[in-house]
Amino acid sequence: MEHDGFMYVNNGLKNGITYFKCNKAQSHFCMGSIKKSIDGTITIVKRHNGHAREPDNTIVVNNFRNVLKHRAATENA
């Protein structure tokens, strides 16, 4: 998931709220995390530290890859 120029990975679901942590948590010891409520509202839980935002082209490539994966899974061959 991308939000505000940072990439996140799913960190679990509790009481209908999905939690995400920075995808650089391991490599850069980043504490950045957000939560997404049922209505789609995103709230920053902890700010990022130790690295800059993702370059725009990385986000575009990831979004395009996800579209291709979705198409491959749903379209008939």
Side-chain angles (χ1 to χ4, degrees):
M1 172 183 194
E2 183 272 330
H3 176 68
D4 198 27
F6 292 103
M7 297 298 296
Y8 296 88
V9 294
N10 192 324
N11 198 26
L13 177 72
K14 184 175 182 182
N15 297 328
I17 298 173
T18 307
Y19 293 88
F20 296 89
K21 67 179 179 178
C22 179
N23 73 334
K24 296 189 181 215
Q26 295 274 320
S27 61
H28 291 79
F29 303 105
C30 180
M31 300 299 290
S33 64
I34 59 173
K35 62 182 179 178
K36 185 175 181 181
S37 62
I38 297 172
D39 64 359
T41 306
I42 296 175
T43 306
I44 297 172
V45 177
K46 291 186 180 178
R47 299 260 178 218
H48 292 268
N49 61 311
H51 68 95
R53 296 186 193 298
E54 296 287 337
D56 287 338
N57 60 345
T58 302
I59 294 168
V60 171
V61 168
N62 283 339
N63 288 340
F64 182 65
R65 183 181 298 128
N66 289 335
V67 168
L68 290 179
K69 286 180 182 178
H70 178 72
R71 285 181 57 192
T74 58
E75 292 181 3
N76 293 333

